[in-house]
Amino acid sequence: MTLKMSYSFIKNSIRAIFGIIMLCVAPGPEAYAHTSLPDTLYRRVPGMISPKGPYRPERTIKNNILYTRLDVSFDWQRQQVPATAIIRFSPHFYPQNTLELDAKGFDIKEVVLLDSLADYGSASTADVNKRVLKKLEYTYDKRKLNIKLGKNYTKHDEGFVRITYVARPNDILRDQPGDHPSDKGLYFINADGMDEGKPKQVWTHGETEGSSCWFPTIDAPNQKFTQDIFITVDSTYKTLSNGLLVDQENKKGLRTDHWKQSLPHAPYLVMMAVGEFAVAKDMMPNGMELSYYVEPQYGGDAHAIFGRTPEMIGFFSNMFGIEFPWEKYAQVVVRDFVAGAMENTTATTHEESVQNDTRSLIDGNSDAVIAHELAHQWFGNYVTCEEWGQLPLNESFANYAEYLWSEYNNGKNEADWGNLQEMKQYLGEAETKKEPMIRYFYKDAENMFDSHSYAKGGRILHMLRKYTGDDAFFASLKHYLTHHAFGTAEIDHLRMSFEKVTGEDLNWFFDQWFHRPGHPQIKVDQQFASNKVILKVKQTQDTLASTIYRLPLKVDVWVAGKKNRYDIVLDKTNQTFEFPAAKKPDLVLFDAESQLLGLIEHEKQRNEMAFQYTNSDDFLPKYEALAQLEGKLADTTARGVLIRAMNDPFWKLRQMAISNFSEYEGEGFVNVEKIIQDRARLDPHPQVRSEAIITLASYGDNNSDSIYRQALEDSSYQVVSVAIEKYLMGQPSDAKEISARFEDSPNDAIVTSVGNYYAGLAEPERYNWFLDKMKRMKPTDKYNFLQVFGKYLIKSKQDVQRQSIPVLEGIARNNPAYFVRFGAFQVLGLLTDIQGVTSLRKDIRAKETEPKLKEMYSQFGEF
């Protein structure tokens, strides 16, 4: 799954928004009270309770579910699911006379025992009824269905039960510790059809224990079963589920689609999606079916959105050493999805921000999230973490797959830029939260879905790859996948696969990176004496709360323009390393491969940073050099480097250099402005063109008006949106014409730029324009637009402000996207001079149930 908090569509459009609101998300230290006692102590001592939460073992397996058949239909009016489930089970080892199933919020109609000799994969209802042996007694508390089997079953026996029930996902009990306040497993979208412009849909989301909200099962990741799902819908709808569509039956305006999943997978990966979709097809060379389900208006863009998927499948099959293990792969885009995306077996669900017209993709595609979910088909679906505390076995690999695909498809610079962003994300979280990667204690499984399991885990795998080398790394992945195929695993299984392949004991690596919290913090003191470079290196992290790390690293020493590379092992709190040097070095680059997950403090002079930028081959040392030279434009050396960097081969470094010259008035300004004007017109990357326009606008002259006008015709929506904002900021004579031309653009960023201009005018007649535009926007764009709407309201008269309050209240209480609710709450905060708004915000805050948003509200001290 793509991380619910700030992933994904976090990799692309959401990243900018969450960069703002994460300032309010970060929990206080009390939320992550850290004990200096290790988790292993709590595991060994009976009765000891960790402050992090109870010990979370792998779910005890009394019975194995071997097969599930579901027959479902939909009551749209009541938002319920009348259904039957046939379950084939067998005791795991010990004899059993009961079958306990997770079943949340159902109306149970009947439970019967079926003949165990029949094949129920395609049997009709009449055929199934003939196989009923007897009714079974059961107890049910709206959470657990405990079926009395009437006899003992041994591990050599198999039994079939049929459960007739109605799933009521809107009525699930939430009165016990650990109950999620909003997860429903199955979601009706616009069920009554009254929300204009929003399609009617049904979709499911099973991770972590949502599947038992719509069908009875043992809702734990250490269960694996095959399945048949028969979905009955109005014949105008399309359906999608796991496996292959093997049959369709039409009857009186209804259609029943039969989807067969013939290979075993975990219950949280079971899925359905129902709606009006355009379906685009692709085909792998081996004949495997690929399909992309999008809303009808995006049917012509589906291949542009998802069209790299066949190449990704081939790439990952080669990298992981295992051919794609399932019988098909589909991707579907749905409205109001509760996560960035979800890797259901053979059928990934994406939230709507992945859905863009072809022109929008010039500014950035969704390859990162597509690659992430695809990699889960191996890591997570093929081999599944046995318990949620082992989640990095799923998510760290999916996260690192983003790097692998970017490295292959876009080049190492692009991959390293993404790597840096991921590391910053983890380090930001680590300021208030430090946990072991593998967690045996937690209060809620949702706590596992954080930047530790994702961003930190991906960076750990990158270090492991650097340490073992590519051949051993990927051979170890193949060994791990092969030996645990269609099964479950814990972190030691991964370690043993690496040890089997490399022949080396790697417990030290796995212990410090997976079982201990934190990261290394290193201070490097550099000296030169007696023809030697002397590095005094200290590990400054809290070694009691974390550990003293063993860090195999490389150091580059440049002398007289020549580089020598040295291998070192840092494994003590304080160490000294010496390297020969005929004279004072031009540069010493500690962690020369820039692979370490941690913080390095190594003071360097400006001339050293200039040398580092000029002579380094990799992105990260160049980036670090430019970052250190920021704000140093008065220095001739620094300014010269930044001017050169505006023509760097890699776009991010060009963008970074250009941004340094915002509001610049110093030496060589005319030449600097000309370079930036050239970048605005001619740079091949839209991010750089946009940055150049923003920088030119900071000069406050009219020298670039023609460039802004030219940029209005740019192929990039992003460039156009920036150009509109900067051009209209100057109040040109044709401002009315330009704003009218773009106010109905299909691109929300452009509409937001026009809205920013209209906000400054604060014309009362524009109020309905703001509401109309906001209503149709995707969640990520709606958050941005709300900020512009707030600017409009602040400048408006009180009657307009009062008119907006019920609109904002409705969004703040009811919008499916929690960060959009937060945006509306923020805008209401601008209107507290109006009587009743403060108490309204108090009530909104008090009644919010989403944990992430409640945490965001808790950062506010105003109430």
Side-chain angles (χ1 to χ4, degrees):
M1 179 174 68
T2 304
L3 185 58
K4 292 180 180 180
M5 180 175 67
S6 60
Y7 273 72
S8 280
F9 195 73
I10 291 156
K11 294 298 168 197
N12 298 298
S13 59
I14 289 183
R15 187 186 295 277
I17 291 173
F18 278 68
I20 299 170
I21 66 176
M22 278 298 293
L23 295 174
C24 305
V25 174
E30 69 281 357
Y32 303 112
H34 179 73
T35 173
S36 60
L37 297 175
D39 284 351
T40 51
L41 178 61
Y42 291 104
R43 294 170 66 190
R44 289 197 301 265
V45 180
M48 289 194 73
I49 300 174
S50 168
K52 301 173 186 177
Y55 174 59
R56 302 286 186 171
E58 178 185 6
R59 176 87 73 95
T60 299
I61 306 174
K62 296 179 180 179
N63 289 290
N64 289 299
I65 294 180
L66 306 175
Y67 166 80
T68 299
R69 168 177 167 158
L70 301 175
D71 290 74
V72 302
S73 58
F74 305 100
D75 183 338
W76 291 82
Q77 182 177 357
R78 295 183 177 86
Q79 299 190 39
Q80 297 177 359
V81 184
T84 62
I86 296 174
I87 295 173
R88 177 162 62 98
F89 68 94
S90 179
H92 183 73
F93 186 83
Y94 299 106
Q96 303 291 332
N97 59 15
T98 60
L99 175 63
E100 184 182 84
L101 300 174
D102 298 299
K104 302 186 182 80
F106 295 174
D107 286 337
I108 304 293
K109 304 298 184 182
E110 183 183 56
V111 180
V112 300
L113 184 68
L114 298 177
D115 184 339
S116 62
L117 300 178
D119 176 10
Y120 294 106
S122 57
S124 67
T125 301
D127 290 338
V128 174
N129 286 335
K130 293 176 184 177
R131 298 292 184 173
V132 174
L133 296 179
K134 63 177 180 178
K135 287 188 177 182
L136 295 176
E137 295 182 2
Y138 62 88
T139 59
Y140 181 52
D141 62 359
K142 296 294 184 179
R143 299 171 185 276
K144 299 284 187 182
L145 175 62
N146 200 304
I147 302 170
K148 299 177 182 179
L149 299 173
K151 69 169 188 177
N152 272 348
Y153 285 74
T154 74
K155 64 181 180 180
H156 304 294
D157 298 324
E158 292 183 1
F160 282 84
V161 296
R162 184 183 71 184
I163 303 157
T164 305
Y165 65 100
V166 177
R168 302 170 58 184
N170 292 340
D171 301 321
I172 295 169
L173 295 176
R174 307 188 190 279
D175 58 355
Q176 296 294 318
D179 287 347
H180 194 281
S182 59
D183 279 359
K184 298 189 289 187
L186 183 144
Y187 298 76
F188 287 85
I189 304 302
N190 194 21
D192 58 8
M194 298 299 290
D195 194 342
E196 183 182 353
K198 178 176 285 190
K200 292 179 67 173
Q201 295 177 343
V202 174
W203 46 260
T204 63
H205 178 68
E207 196 171 41
T208 53
E209 295 184 4
S211 289
S212 53
C213 297
W214 65 278
F215 69 93
T217 191
I218 299 174
D219 209 351
N222 63 355
Q223 288 284 328
K224 293 286 182 91
F225 53 79
T226 60
Q227 71 192 43
D228 287 282
I229 300 184
F230 294 78
I231 309 172
T232 299
V233 294
D234 187 287
S235 58
T236 59
Y237 292 126
K238 290 184 172 66
T239 72
L240 177 65
S241 188
N242 313 98
L244 297 175
L245 179 61
V246 296
D247 188 42
Q248 292 184 304
E249 181 180 345
N250 291 280
K251 187 176 181 180
K252 295 181 180 180
L254 299 177
R255 191 186 69 253
T256 299
D257 291 349
H258 176 191
W259 292 89
K260 176 177 283 291
Q261 170 75 24
S262 60
L263 297 170
H265 68 156
Y268 76 93
L269 298 167
V270 178
M271 72 83 67
M272 295 188 299
V274 176
E276 295 180 359
F277 299 109
V279 183
K281 299 284 188 179
D282 256 337
M283 190 72 72
M284 290 295 291
N286 63 3
M288 186 182 75
E289 174 190 313
L290 298 176
S291 54
Y292 318 128
Y293 289 61
V294 295
E295 292 178 32
Q297 63 267 38
Y298 291 100
D301 303 300
H303 281 96
I305 298 167
F306 296 113
R308 273 84 54 206
T309 302
E311 188 174 2
M312 284 185 189
I313 291 176
F315 171 71
F316 287 136
S317 295
N318 182 56
M319 287 289 99
F320 303 152
I322 302 291
E323 287 295 319
F324 185 82
W326 310 100
E327 54 252 274
K328 77 120 192 308
Y329 190 57
Q331 297 177 85
V332 59
V333 184
V334 301
R335 290 291 187 101
D336 299 341
F337 196 50
V338 292
M342 179 62 206
E343 68 274 10
N344 317 294
T345 310
T346 78
T348 286
T349 307
H350 290 277
E351 57 97 13
E352 64 199 86
S353 289
V354 77
Q355 201 166 232
N356 289 288
D357 64 49
T358 301
R359 182 180 172 189
S360 295
L361 298 175
I362 293 171
D363 294 319
N365 58 41
S366 299
D367 276 14
V369 69
I370 293 169
H372 180 111
E373 305 307 328
L374 176 59
H376 273 307
Q377 301 299 318
W378 288 268
F379 293 95
N381 300 10
Y382 189 58
V383 179
T384 308
C385 65
E386 67 181 20
E387 200 280 323
W388 296 114
Q390 304 280 333
L391 184 67
L393 289 173
N394 295 9
E395 295 298 349
S396 298
F397 279 102
N399 180 280
Y400 191 52
E402 299 174 35
Y403 180 94
L404 294 174
W405 171 253
S406 183
E407 182 182 40
Y408 163 79
N409 191 61
N410 306 313
K412 190 172 183 299
N413 281 339
E414 192 76 46
D416 285 344
W417 164 235
N419 195 7
L420 178 62
Q421 295 300 98
E422 294 292 311
M423 185 165 74
K424 286 182 175 180
Q425 184 166 300
Y426 157 70
L427 291 173
E429 182 175 87
E431 291 179 6
T432 54
K433 176 182 182 179
K434 290 186 178 72
E435 294 284 350
M437 290 291 292
I438 302 301
R439 285 168 246 181
Y440 297 100
F441 299 87
Y442 55 82
K443 294 178 181 177
D444 189 327
E446 295 298 315
N447 296 345
M448 290 298 305
F449 293 84
D450 58 12
S451 290
H452 285 62
S453 294
Y454 289 73
K456 183 181 183 181
R459 310 294 66 74
I460 291 172
L461 293 175
H462 188 63
M463 288 188 294
L464 186 56
R465 177 186 172 194
K466 286 290 185 180
Y467 179 74
T468 62
D470 278 14
D471 288 347
F473 180 80
F474 291 109
S476 299
L477 300 191
K478 180 178 180 179
H479 184 278
Y480 168 77
L481 291 170
T482 301
H483 284 75
H484 303 284
F486 300 110
T488 61
E490 57 181 272
I491 193 65
D492 285 338
H493 293 128
L494 182 67
R495 173 181 59 80
M496 288 187 285
S497 286
F498 271 88
E499 291 178 344
K500 185 72 173 178
V501 169
T502 63
E504 179 180 348
D505 188 314
L506 291 170
N507 189 64
W508 63 271
F509 183 95
F510 280 78
D511 178 66
Q512 69 185 16
W513 289 112
F514 285 102
H515 292 294
R516 296 178 184 269
H519 52 269
Q521 299 177 41
I522 298 170
K523 181 176 175 59
V524 179
D525 178 63
Q526 178 180 328
Q527 300 173 9
F528 175 73
S530 304
N531 292 330
K532 289 184 294 187
V533 173
I534 303 166
L535 298 183
K536 296 183 177 180
V537 185
K538 182 176 183 179
Q539 295 193 40
T540 63
Q541 71 275 0
D542 182 348
T543 56
L544 292 178
S546 181
T547 188
I548 299 172
Y549 286 86
R550 175 184 175 187
L551 304 173
L553 298 171
K554 297 184 185 302
V555 176
D556 283 351
V557 179
W558 293 78
V559 178
K562 182 181 178 182
K563 179 180 75 174
N564 285 295
R565 174 162 289 184
Y566 301 95
D567 292 306
I568 66 169
V569 176
L570 189 63
D571 57 5
K572 298 179 179 64
T573 303
N574 291 280
Q575 285 176 265
T576 299
F577 301 95
E578 297 183 355
F579 311 102
K583 62 177 185 177
K584 186 176 181 180
D586 305 306
L587 174 70
V588 174
L589 195 58
F590 194 82
D591 182 26
E593 294 184 311
S594 301
Q595 52 86 40
L596 180 65
L597 170 64
L599 297 172
I600 299 174
E601 181 185 345
H602 184 188
E603 186 175 334
K604 298 176 187 177
Q605 301 298 315
R606 290 177 192 170
N607 63 319
E608 293 175 293
M609 282 301 182
F611 186 92
Q612 181 169 313
Y613 170 80
T614 303
N615 292 277
S616 295
D617 296 324
D618 294 331
F619 164 74
L620 287 169
K622 287 178 174 287
Y623 177 93
E624 179 191 33
L626 293 186
Q628 291 296 317
L629 295 174
E630 282 183 354
K632 309 287 195 305
L633 294 179
D635 180 85
T636 302
T637 299
R639 186 171 66 252
V641 170
L642 290 167
I643 289 173
R644 289 201 308 275
M646 288 195 288
N647 290 294
D648 192 276
F650 184 52
W651 70 268
K652 182 59 193 178
L653 298 177
R654 297 197 302 273
Q655 180 194 34
M656 192 176 178
I658 289 168
S659 69
N660 269 270
F661 288 94
S662 180
E663 301 182 357
Y664 181 66
E665 297 178 345
E667 182 180 340
F669 170 76
V670 173
N671 181 53
V672 167
E673 185 176 35
K674 184 179 183 304
I675 294 172
I676 297 173
Q677 287 174 337
D678 288 343
R679 291 294 102 203
R681 285 194 299 262
L682 303 173
D683 198 277
H685 202 285
Q687 291 273 19
V688 180
R689 299 199 298 277
S690 297
E691 192 69 53
I693 290 171
I694 292 168
T695 301
L696 290 171
S698 74
Y699 298 148
D701 56 35
N702 298 320
N703 297 339
S704 300
D705 281 358
S706 62
I707 292 176
Y708 306 151
R709 288 299 303 266
Q710 179 183 342
L712 298 180
E713 312 301 327
D714 200 280
S715 60
S716 159
Y717 282 138
Q718 178 183 348
V719 173
V720 173
S721 69
V722 170
I724 289 172
E725 182 175 333
K726 300 309 176 186
Y727 184 65
L728 294 179
M729 187 171 61
Q731 300 290 327
S733 59
D734 60 350
K736 185 175 181 180
E737 173 193 340
I738 295 299
S739 58
R741 175 185 165 192
F742 288 101
E743 68 176 19
D744 294 319
S745 170
N747 180 263
D748 291 339
I750 291 176
V751 172
T752 300
S753 291
V754 175
N756 189 54
Y757 172 68
Y758 287 158
L761 301 179
E763 298 167 338
E765 59 269 24
R766 287 292 175 188
Y767 177 76
N768 286 330
W769 179 87
F770 275 96
L771 295 191
D772 290 343
K773 296 304 176 185
M774 185 161 50
K775 185 176 182 180
R776 67 168 178 81
M777 286 184 170
K778 297 174 183 176
T780 52
D781 298 311
K782 187 173 292 187
Y783 177 86
N784 283 332
F785 195 74
L786 275 165
Q787 312 312 303
V788 172
F789 186 48
K791 176 181 173 181
Y792 169 78
L793 292 175
I794 281 292
K795 292 177 173 289
S796 297
K797 296 180 179 179
Q798 275 211 351
D799 59 334
V800 174
Q801 294 177 349
R802 288 193 182 94
Q803 194 177 355
S804 73
I805 290 171
V807 175
L808 293 167
E809 179 187 1
I811 297 172
R813 291 190 190 276
N814 303 318
N815 192 276
Y818 76 89
F819 54 88
V820 174
R821 299 200 298 277
F822 177 69
F825 181 84
Q826 286 178 305
V827 178
L828 281 169
L830 303 175
L831 307 178
T832 52
D833 289 343
I834 298 175
Q835 186 176 3
V837 170
T838 297
S839 60
L840 174 64
R841 293 179 81 230
K842 265 187 191 178
D843 188 65
I844 290 169
R845 176 174 164 175
K847 292 179 179 176
E848 178 59 56
T849 59
E850 168 59 47
K852 289 185 286 290
L853 187 46
K854 289 174 70 175
E855 186 61 49
M856 292 161 70
Y857 286 154
S858 73
Q859 305 305 305
F860 288 79
E862 55 189 296
F863 297 137

